[in-house]
Amino acid sequence: MQLYAPTTLAPARDFWLLRYTSVLEDGSLVVCERSLNNTQNGPSMPPVQNFVRAEMLPSGYLIRPCEGGGSIIHIVDHMDLEPWSVPEVLRPLYESSTLLAQKTTMAALRNLRQISQEVSQPNAAGWGRRPAALRALSQRLSKGFNEAVNGFTDEGWSILESDGVDDVTLLVNSSPGKMMGANLYANGVPSMSNAVLCAKASMLLQNVPPAILLRFLREHRSEWADRSIDAYSAAAIKPGPCGLLGSRAGSFGDQVIHPLAHTIEHEEFMEVIKIENMGHYREDMIMPAADIFLLQLCSGVDENSVGTCAELVFAPIDASFSDDGPILPSGFRIIPLDSRMDAPSPNRTLDLASALEVGPAGSRASGDNAGHSGNTKSVMTIAFQFAFEIHLQDNVASMARQYVRSIIASVQRVALALSPSRFGSNSGFRPPPGTPEAQTLAGWICQSYRCYLGEDLLKSEGSESILKSLWHHSDAILCCSLKALPVFTFANQAGLDMLETTLVALQDITLEKIFDDNGRKALFSEFPQIMQQGFMCLQGGICMSSMGRPISYERAVAWKVLNEEETAHCICFMFINWSFV
């Protein structure tokens, strides 16, 4: 028996087992397993490349019939997974009984419960009218992702040379078996892609519950994904040549999630993601503006499940996708490394505006208990697969390496924003000045606007929070720091759309970058007025998005944002009636 390695940081495990199955006198079924070794006169089995030989101590199943139908199953899992051979930080995965129970024993029970429900109540099961076909799709996604993470040489994977920085591992597979497995055909016509490249990495995360981070990655794809890479991956599964896309071009399409199926306890669900309006392509790009479809499998988003691995695995599909259609899974796996029985608070929220905050301290939802987060650790594994033409290998390798590195950077910044404050109430520390939560900042923005301009920025929306109203405001609202070279620190949805950026990438954009020479001169000549008078009004003009696209605006207002101590925290700009030229 072989077990996939859950991360890229340790090799997979294999076992040589003796299995005994018997039906007992009372009708019970027993299946016993244990490892064979030389002392039991078993055959001498040589080690296998890419695997560490582990030992299974007496384990198995006892299935007893119940009166009136049904059965009771007892499961025993007892393994020595050779924890000495893995990095110390990963050892809980290989020696914690709690994590073994979650990952193996409880997973088996959930799978059995799902199948029994489908058999006994075929119309009530969450997998719909074709549970076997959908479960097979789910297993194909999981298996394809595990194969990418493990990259076994006997399955055709070979490692590419590093560029000197070892954070991302690249593997390539051009074996016929892999290409048939990927089934890169559409409408019976073979695709031009004749190889698969995998870029993978693992990283340690602290103080962010896996379920919360995974939910954010699922709901806010534009915060980490590059839409041109999505388009490239989608094009590679269609017939016809597939060239390399350029850098980001235009805004990320809107993501629409279509539920497809779920298990009876909702711990795993499958969905189709439609990324709409992939417009603004240059003429030399391979795809016209079109929707992109991804088949996605998500599990482990329940914060109350202790020690549960959280996974988000997806693969581009054609709109006419069939059960045996082309599938090359990529995605994320986040595994908690704490075997303690303390679940994170269920009161955390993943609303974009309230979860991400401006400064590095991280937002705290009310009711969250800092003691729950403690010093929790988890390991995230990222693996992305790309079908390509073999002569483009160097270009695809470079693109994949940069892409996974950009995802790592995005995940680190999002994890920092989602983690509870490290300044606990008992530590005697206060969060450093200048790092307000988003809700606090929204209040400062509106209060300062009323103070300097004599009117309310937001119309009253009843029970809707100030932050939510600000986030959905039709005009672009952007905050920038009070440094010598001001950089943007916060924007509402319209502001992100105008700059064609994301909350994660926003902090890389300086104020002067968005204005042309005339705009910069006008702005910096008027800047002292903002500090003295508290506000200024700018006539209509032209500014630039982060993609270099010109934007016209009817007029703009800038005002000084004061904090609770009445000192200047930042400058806020509002661009009114803006549009792309």
Side-chain angles (χ1 to χ4, degrees):
M1 182 174 76
Q2 296 176 333
L3 296 181
Y4 286 115
T7 73
T8 64
L9 301 174
R13 269 41 189 166
D14 74 342
F15 302 82
W16 280 100
L17 301 174
L18 178 68
R19 176 181 291 163
Y20 174 69
T21 305
S22 176
V23 179
L24 306 183
E25 290 179 359
D26 64 353
S28 299
L29 180 73
V30 64
V31 180
C32 307
E33 291 180 313
R34 66 168 299 166
S35 285
L36 274 175
N37 58 44
N38 294 335
T39 60
Q40 298 150 339
N41 298 318
S44 179
M45 298 299 180
V48 180
Q49 188 178 9
N50 299 122
F51 288 90
V52 168
R53 181 67 41 81
E55 181 182 7
M56 181 179 288
L57 290 91
S59 302
Y61 316 88
L62 172 63
I63 307 171
R64 298 188 340 213
C66 290
E67 291 183 15
S71 57
I72 295 174
I73 182 166
H74 304 265
I75 302 179
V76 176
D77 287 308
H78 192 187
M79 300 180 186
D80 179 357
L81 294 172
E82 304 292 344
W84 57 267
S85 64
V86 303
E88 191 170 346
V89 71
L90 288 186
R91 285 192 188 160
L93 285 183
Y94 291 80
E95 56 189 11
S96 161
S97 296
T98 305
L99 295 184
L100 176 67
Q102 277 290 341
K103 189 175 155 214
T104 305
T105 320
M106 296 303 296
L109 285 171
R110 279 195 295 267
N111 197 42
L112 288 169
R113 192 180 293 128
Q114 177 71 30
I115 293 171
S116 70
Q117 174 95 354
E118 289 168 7
V119 170
S120 60
Q121 302 177 44
N123 296 325
W127 288 103
R129 279 178 278 181
R130 303 179 61 209
L134 287 167
R135 197 179 327 107
L137 262 184
S138 155
Q139 289 166 354
R140 282 180 64 199
L141 278 168
S142 295
K143 187 169 187 289
F145 182 68
N146 276 317
E147 286 176 353
V149 169
N150 284 261
F152 297 134
T153 51
D154 61 359
E155 290 179 354
W157 290 102
S158 58
I159 195 162
L160 294 183
E161 282 189 27
S162 166
D163 62 352
V165 183
D166 292 323
D167 56 341
V168 177
T169 303
L170 296 184
L171 302 107
V172 67
N173 195 334
S174 56
S175 64
K178 175 66 178 175
M179 301 315 296
M180 291 305 291
N183 195 20
L184 297 174
Y185 284 72
N187 303 323
V189 182
S191 163
M192 294 292 288
S193 303
N194 52 16
V196 174
L197 184 133
C198 173
K200 60 184 184 176
S202 289
M203 57 194 280
L204 188 67
L205 299 170
Q206 306 234 34
N207 295 330
V208 57
I212 288 178
L213 178 55
L214 193 93
R215 284 220 306 273
F216 186 92
L217 295 173
R218 171 180 171 265
E219 293 171 15
H220 305 292
R221 186 178 179 86
S222 61
E223 288 292 327
W224 56 265
D226 185 328
R227 32 133 21 237
S228 65
I229 306 285
D230 283 331
Y232 172 79
S233 298
I237 66 166
K238 297 181 179 180
C242 177
L244 267 181
L245 287 181
S247 60
R248 294 171 188 259
S251 59
F252 195 99
D254 293 329
Q255 169 181 282
V256 180
I257 298 176
H258 299 283
L260 191 60
H262 60 81
T263 52
I264 53 174
E265 294 181 3
H266 291 266
E267 75 278 351
E268 178 179 292
F269 49 90
M270 193 184 294
E271 52 202 9
V272 173
I273 307 298
K274 182 168 79 167
I275 302 172
E276 296 181 323
N277 188 27
M278 302 293 288
H280 313 308
Y281 279 83
R282 298 196 309 266
E283 290 180 2
D284 59 338
M285 291 197 172
I286 57 170
M287 288 181 65
D291 295 339
I292 284 175
F293 294 91
L294 304 171
L295 181 67
Q296 182 163 279
L297 186 68
C298 189
S299 62
V301 295
D302 181 5
E303 296 165 53
N304 296 311
S305 297
V306 182
T308 304
C309 165
E311 281 189 3
L312 186 70
V313 179
F314 48 85
I317 56 172
D318 196 289
S320 58
F321 181 70
S322 60
D323 292 348
D324 58 350
I327 191 164
L328 271 185
S330 302
F332 307 91
R333 172 182 291 149
I334 314 170
I335 310 173
L337 295 176
D338 299 312
S339 54
R340 297 175 319 207
M341 302 300 286
D342 54 346
S345 163
N347 296 327
R348 296 293 300 276
T349 175
L350 255 195
D351 176 66
L352 174 68
S354 60
L356 262 186
E357 74 147 63
V358 183
S363 61
R364 283 273 293 278
S366 62
D368 193 17
N369 184 347
H372 279 292
S373 60
N375 187 28
T376 58
K377 287 182 187 150
S378 55
V379 62
M380 171 183 269
T381 297
I382 304 170
F384 277 73
Q385 296 191 82
F386 305 93
F388 69 100
E389 297 169 59
I390 197 71
H391 69 274
L392 290 173
Q393 179 170 307
D394 290 345
N395 291 340
V396 174
S398 174
M399 173 272 289
R401 185 180 275 122
Q402 290 172 9
Y403 186 42
V404 171
R405 283 179 182 156
S406 76
I407 290 172
I408 290 171
S410 298
V411 166
Q412 287 172 334
R413 291 170 77 167
V414 168
L416 196 63
L418 292 177
S419 67
S421 170
R422 286 175 294 283
F423 301 93
S425 55
N426 300 326
S427 65
F429 288 108
R430 300 288 300 162
T435 56
E437 295 183 359
Q439 183 73 35
T440 305
L441 179 67
W444 293 350
I445 290 170
C446 296
Q447 192 173 351
S448 300
Y449 186 87
R450 187 185 308 114
C451 170
Y452 289 117
L453 287 103
E455 59 184 22
D456 288 327
L457 174 64
L458 305 173
K459 295 179 176 64
S460 176
E461 297 290 341
S463 62
E464 195 168 84
S465 73
I466 292 175
L467 179 57
K468 198 166 185 182
S469 300
L470 190 76
W471 180 256
H472 294 297
H473 196 284
S474 58
D475 294 322
I477 297 173
L478 304 109
C479 292
C480 69
S481 61
L482 289 171
K483 297 176 181 173
L485 188 66
V487 296
F488 289 108
T489 56
F490 176 82
N492 67 351
Q493 183 66 67
L496 296 178
D497 291 344
M498 186 183 90
L499 291 187
E500 295 188 288
T501 189
T502 66
L503 271 176
V504 171
L506 180 69
Q507 297 169 44
D508 295 330
I509 302 172
T510 61
L511 179 62
E512 65 171 19
K513 262 189 194 173
I514 72 166
F515 290 101
D516 58 17
D517 288 340
N518 292 333
R520 275 193 288 270
K521 285 175 187 170
L523 178 70
F524 291 122
S525 66
E526 301 283 349
F527 217 78
Q529 182 186 338
I530 306 178
M531 302 310 292
Q532 292 167 14
Q533 183 178 309
F535 74 98
M536 72 171 182
C537 298
L538 298 167
Q539 293 181 346
I542 299 287
C543 61
M544 308 291 283
S545 79
S546 64
M547 305 294 178
R549 284 213 289 165
I551 303 155
S552 70
Y553 56 93
E554 188 179 293
R555 58 193 177 90
V557 181
W559 67 98
K560 186 165 56 173
V561 175
L562 303 179
N563 59 21
E564 281 142 0
E565 283 80 37
E566 297 292 314
T567 57
H569 172 71
C570 64
I571 300 290
C572 195
F573 287 85
M574 180 164 66
F575 293 90
I576 298 160
N577 291 339
W578 64 273
S579 62
F580 292 112
V581 178

